[in-house]
Amino acid sequence: MVPGPSSLPSVSLRRFFATGLAVNALLCAAPMAFAQDEAVPASAPDPDFVPEFNEDGQRQIGFEADELNYDQDTDTVTASGNVLLRSGDQSVRADAVTWNRLTGQIMATGDVRFVDEDGNQLFTDSLELTDELEAGAMTNLLFAFRQGARLAAEQATRDVEGNIELQRAVYSACPVTNAEGCAQNPSWRITAERVWYDSETERIRFSDAYLELFGARILPLPGLTLRADGSAESGFFVPNIGITASNGIELSGSYYWRLADNRDLTLTGYVFTEAAPMVSAEYRHLTDGGAFQVTAYGTYGTRIPLNSNVATSEEDIRGYIETNGRFQLDENWTASGSIRLASDRTFLRRYDISREDRLRSTVQLERIDDNSYVSIAGWATQALLVSTDQGQVPLALPLVDARYRLEDPILGGNVELQANTLAITRAEGQDTQRAFARAQWDYRTLTPMGQEITLTGLVRGDVYHSDDNFLTITPSYRGEGGWQARGIAIAAVDVTWPFAGEFLGGTQILTPRVQLVAAPDIRNMDIPNEDARAIDLEDSNLFALNRFPGYDRVEDGVRLTYGFDWQANFPGWRIETTFGQSYRLTDEPTLFPDGTGLNEQWSDFVGRTQVRFRDFVKFTHRFRLDKDSLAVRRNEIDATIGSDATYLELGYLRLDRDIDLSFEDLQDREELRAAGRVAFADHWSVFGSAVVNLTDREEDPSFTADGFEPLRTRLGIAYADECLEFGFTWRRDYIQLADAQSGSSFRIFFNLRNLGF
């Protein structure tokens, strides 16, 4: 007589291995357990180490459960209590798993979590399994993709290939918990009557779908298809709408075309009430060796020349093209480039693409290894919102710079060799060619008392050729025409002596510094000046061997520079200060223009102070003080206070140097910049910014401003969470340049993050 199920003991089975099909694991486990009536020995191997298939190609299942029961009346095997089935990267966890030997049905019930081989997780109340540990029919399920998106449905079925069909489903890529781990409703979701997930292509296809925002159904989405991995899918972007002073009402829409996994194309159309329509395209391509992209805009209409207020009657094609890329040719060689070109000087500003006053294009080939560097480059510039004649704008091609650091020290110091050549061509101006070779020796040592001493020796030989020098407006930039040569020699000794100790409950480091630099007379005025024009004494070049930027001007004579660095650290706080001055050993006139802080025997005082409190306060102040009156010649402040959500940024610059107006690179300016953001109600914020020109005619007689001229202001309000952003901005431009009108602009923006199109 066969006893009933109530009389059979249950078996504790925490670790057990089954070879073959999952159903065979349960079938073999029950008789063995009842025959022994005891738990499997604790020394059984861990299921984490079960191979997915055995030598015969049969699937192997790692199996764990608190209890295993067999009902002889119904021929049913039931595993209960923390059940875990595992095979390869797949696993099933459930409160109970039941196998009916008569019908062949396997059911997992109670807090079921199924993980497939791709790492996606499926949560459900009940799940029907195949004999290969594959999911079948299920109810009340949640499908969590590895990349973060989620699908929930009342019913679903999953076939052996991993494809899933869902009924009455909801999809969202928004987090369902906040930073504190509390449950939250997603700001957007997609509802659909039916959804299909293709495991091979990882695409989700919707039928009768709608977009819901904050629980309200707002937009039908016919034919919607998304990629489950979160990457982009071909489709239309959300349209943008705005109002600008130059073009009136603007409506734009884009179509994204995913050509392949490594390249895409975005096409955009623009319609304006006060301008002709415009189109744009952006192509991006990722290759095995690098990446590049090309962006182009085009329209057909009238344009107003710069510094004119009258539209031309002649219509013409207007546009802009920008391309850039970078490629790693091998371990050492890299090629990169950027080409930017506009049809006219005001196109970018009128259509709010860019507010730059110049467009720079460059190509470069670089080689870098442990001891050498080679660069072969070319530069071209297009003048936009400036009065410079394009014929006076230089083309730098080629620019070759090669450096090599000797592996073995010489006299204990490192030696670097450099060769450089440059050719500058102008269509209607001075042409200059240059070549030089340089060798520099640096020796650093520490004395027993802690001073760091650096000895430097530099020699350089230059050869220049130039013609049409008289076409350069500023005489000091011209140099002598024809062939010119010069030799340069510089020797320097630099000594620093840091002192560290306690200070007001923190620590401080005071580092005095003294530098002596000597160079014989150099033939500077015979050489054209192409790259050393914007000279100004700052904390960054106070101790430089040559305070001129570039190579065309080199500071000669003997000078002594002294100063100090001071740093204090307290809990959460850091304060850094740099201060110094230089003294020339001769009172002969220098190359430096009046007002640069370097034109007299004693230089002006320069310094920088930085204050930081964690990530809440960042303050930087750069200054230059007149050596005689201590008047502030340079006053520059950059400050940020607040968090990422709520902050205030301030920037102020005043250059009060009284420099000759003939030096177009050194004009005095005064400007104020401010920006801020205030967050409220969790995801809402108001923000604004302003740029104000404070330069008056006393600082620059060429200006017509009265000392307070707003250039641009902006205000807005926005909502932003993990997967949704929208808002409204107002901007006013106060400068009118040709067909780029001054006035107010309004824009509405809307962005569904993580939606994949």
Side-chain angles (χ1 to χ4, degrees), residues 618-683:
K618 302 173 186 176
F619 175 87
T620 301
H621 180 217
R622 296 179 178 88
F623 59 91
R624 174 156 68 88
L625 305 177
D626 188 280
K627 67 181 189 323
D628 298 319
S629 64
L630 297 183
V632 179
R633 299 303 180 193
R634 182 187 187 96
N635 192 13
E636 184 177 2
I637 297 173
D638 287 295
T640 302
I641 181 170
S643 62
D644 292 339
T646 299
Y647 59 84
L648 174 65
E649 293 180 346
L650 291 174
Y652 173 78
L653 171 64
R654 186 187 185 194
L655 301 175
D656 184 17
R657 303 170 297 183
D658 297 327
I659 292 180
D660 189 336
L661 294 178
S662 63
F663 294 96
E664 65 270 21
D665 304 284
L666 300 173
Q667 297 305 302
D668 288 340
R669 292 290 182 268
E670 187 173 7
E671 184 178 271
L672 175 66
R673 306 178 310 276
R677 183 174 185 265
V678 177
F680 64 96
D682 292 335
H683 300 293

Side-chain angles (χ1 to χ4, degrees), residues 361-428:
S361 300
T362 178
V363 292
Q364 186 173 30
L365 184 66
E366 288 181 294
R367 186 187 187 280
I368 303 174
D369 61 22
D370 293 339
N371 295 305
S372 66
Y373 171 78
V374 177
S375 170
I376 305 171
W379 291 82
T381 302
Q382 181 183 9
L384 295 182
L385 306 179
V386 292
S387 58
T388 304
D389 187 345
Q390 184 62 40
Q392 290 281 340
V393 178
L395 170 67
L397 182 71
L399 170 57
V400 181
D401 189 66
R403 307 183 186 211
Y404 181 74
R405 183 178 58 198
L406 300 183
E407 294 185 6
D408 298 324
I410 296 179
L411 299 178
N414 296 321
V415 175
E416 181 182 274
L417 307 177
Q418 180 185 11
N420 181 285
T421 182
L422 169 65
I424 289 181
T425 305
R426 294 178 175 88
E428 302 173 5

Side-chain angles (χ1 to χ4, degrees), residues 154-461:
E154 294 183 4
Q155 294 181 352
T157 56
R158 184 179 188 273
D159 61 25
V160 294
E161 284 80 21
N163 303 317
I164 301 177
E165 181 179 347
L166 307 95
Q167 288 82 38
R168 292 179 294 280
V170 177
Y171 170 88
S172 181
C174 300
V176 295
T177 58
N178 57 23
E180 290 75 28
C182 301
Q184 65 177 11
N185 293 323
S187 52
W188 67 262
R189 67 177 190 172
I190 297 173
T191 61
E193 285 299 313
R194 301 186 71 181
V195 176
W196 294 267
Y197 167 66
D198 189 318
S199 63
E200 181 177 356
T201 63
E202 293 189 333
R203 279 178 165 82
I204 307 171
R205 183 163 54 92
F206 298 81
S207 175
D208 197 15
Y210 286 85
L211 173 66
E212 292 186 0
L213 289 181
F214 303 107
R217 179 177 290 187
I218 64 168
L219 183 68
L221 299 172
L224 176 64
T225 301
L226 301 176
R227 295 174 65 96
D229 59 6
S231 59
E233 178 76 337
S234 298
F236 288 95
F237 287 176
V238 176
N240 291 322
I241 187 170
I243 301 175
T244 65
S246 300
N247 303 315
I249 299 176
E250 171 188 327
L251 181 65
S252 64
S254 300
Y255 180 79
Y256 174 82
W257 186 6
R258 186 182 178 93
L259 302 173
D261 288 343
N262 65 328
R263 52 194 177 95
D264 57 30
L265 176 66
T266 302
L267 303 173
T268 305
Y270 305 82
V271 178
F272 312 97
T273 58
E274 299 183 14
M278 184 174 68
V279 294
S280 70
E282 181 186 32
Y283 176 78
R284 303 185 301 175
H285 196 151
L286 176 65
T287 70
D288 293 337
F292 72 95
Q293 66 176 12
V294 180
T295 303
Y297 293 81
T299 186
Y300 187 82
T302 60
R303 64 167 176 258
I304 303 176
L306 193 65
N307 300 323
S308 174
N309 294 319
V310 180
T312 60
S313 58
E314 180 182 355
E315 294 186 342
D316 200 359
I317 295 176
R318 306 184 69 185
Y320 168 68
I321 185 170
E322 174 183 0
T323 178
N324 59 76
R326 184 178 180 87
F327 296 89
Q328 192 72 37
L329 305 181
D330 61 22
E331 181 181 358
N332 302 114
W333 284 97
T334 302
S336 60
S338 173
I339 299 175
R340 305 179 67 194
L341 185 64
S343 61
D344 54 84
R345 298 200 177 201
T346 59
F347 175 81
L348 295 180
R349 190 180 186 96
R350 169 168 184 170
Y351 292 98
D352 205 20
I353 300 170
S354 171
R355 312 194 72 80
E356 299 170 88
D357 59 1
R358 294 174 177 86
L359 295 179
R360 294 178 175 87
S361 300
T362 178
V363 292
Q364 186 173 30
L365 184 66
E366 288 181 294
R367 186 187 187 280
I368 303 174
D369 61 22
D370 293 339
N371 295 305
S372 66
Y373 171 78
V374 177
S375 170
I376 305 171
W379 291 82
T381 302
Q382 181 183 9
L384 295 182
L385 306 179
V386 292
S387 58
T388 304
D389 187 345
Q390 184 62 40
Q392 290 281 340
V393 178
L395 170 67
L397 182 71
L399 170 57
V400 181
D401 189 66
R403 307 183 186 211
Y404 181 74
R405 183 178 58 198
L406 300 183
E407 294 185 6
D408 298 324
I410 296 179
L411 299 178
N414 296 321
V415 175
E416 181 182 274
L417 307 177
Q418 180 185 11
N420 181 285
T421 182
L422 169 65
I424 289 181
T425 305
R426 294 178 175 88
E428 302 173 5
Q430 176 177 334
D431 297 336
T432 302
Q433 300 84 42
R434 140 190 117 199
F436 72 78
R438 175 185 69 93
Q440 182 170 330
W441 174 81
D442 292 292
Y443 173 79
R444 289 179 174 84
T445 185
L446 290 175
T447 70
M449 297 184 64
Q451 297 99 338
E452 181 183 9
I453 300 177
T454 302
L455 303 177
T456 300
L458 181 149
V459 292
R460 196 179 102 189

Side-chain angles (χ1 to χ4, degrees), residues 131-150:
D131 57 3
E132 288 287 331
L133 202 62
E134 299 288 353
M138 59 204 85
T139 58
N140 295 325
L141 78 146
L142 171 65
F143 191 31
F145 295 98
R146 178 171 53 87
Q147 292 79 9
R150 291 171 172 82

